[in-house]
Each structure stands twice: as structure tokens, then as C-alpha cells.
Amino acid sequence: MASSNCFVLAIFMALSLLNINVGLAARHLLQMPPALPGVTLPPLPSIPNLPQPTLPTTQPSLPKPGALPPLPSMPTLPTMPSIPPLPSMPTLPTMPSFPTIPTTIPFFSPPPSKTTP
């Protein structure tokens, strides 16, 4: 059990140190000058003109609602057989009532002393 705790602690420490290095590298990149002096980038190529597609001006004709064939009729479902009624449950016997708990605790007299006067 102790070795697994040490392993978890070692992994946590390694990840923490890695995060510190990443943060320092990001700060270093942000503090660098924007570009090297005297270096120019080549111009970007121009985007060629693409041909424009032609869209049809007329819409295709849709089928008429009356031209569709009629839907088939639903088949008749079989009827469920009748189930006889269940017998009634017998009545449960009544439980005797529990005695009530007294609200006061009786105090008994102290035992007699063992020494005689």
C-alpha cells in the first residue's frame, strides 16, 4: 500500500514539473521579438476563380396524392383467452399490541450497608 502511495506521489511530482516547463516555454515564446529583421515572407498564391454551378429554374413535378396505391388494411388480431379470477387472499391474523414504555424510571432504595453500627 505504501509503495502505491509513493508511486502516485512520484507521478504527481513529475506532472507538476512538466507543467512548470511548459509554462516557462510559453512565456519565452511570448517574449520573443515578432519576426526576424530583414526576412520577408513569399506572397501567398491567389485563389483561382471557380466556375459557378447553374441551378435548375424549374422544380421537378411531385406525384399527385390520389396516384398513390391504397394502404393495405390492418390484419385482425387474435383475441386473448379469458383468465379465471384469482382467489381472494386470506386475512392475516392481528398482531398483539406491545406494552407501552414507562415514561418514568422507578428509583429503588439503596442496598443496606455491610457494616453494623
Side-chain angles (χ1 to χ4, degrees):
M1 184 70 183
S3 64
S4 66
N5 287 341
C6 291
F7 179 72
V8 169
L9 182 64
I11 293 293
F12 179 73
M13 293 289 290
L15 290 176
S16 298
L17 292 175
L18 284 175
N19 285 338
I20 290 173
N21 289 340
V22 169
L24 289 175
R27 176 175 285 181
H28 177 71
L29 287 175
L30 288 173
Q31 290 178 348
M32 283 180 55
L36 297 174
V39 176
T40 59
L41 295 175
L44 293 174
S46 63
I47 298 174
N49 291 333
L50 297 175
Q52 295 294 326
T54 58
L55 298 174
T57 56
T58 61
Q59 294 209 359
S61 62
L62 297 174
K64 303 286 185 231
L68 295 176
L71 295 175
S73 62
M74 289 291 294
T76 58
L77 297 176
T79 58
M80 293 290 293
S82 62
I83 299 173
L86 295 175
S88 63
M89 292 289 294
T91 59
L92 296 175
T94 59
M95 297 293 293
S97 64
F98 293 105
T100 59
I101 299 173
T103 56
T104 59
I105 301 173
F107 290 104
F108 300 107
S109 61
S113 63
K114 294 183 179 180
T115 61
T116 58

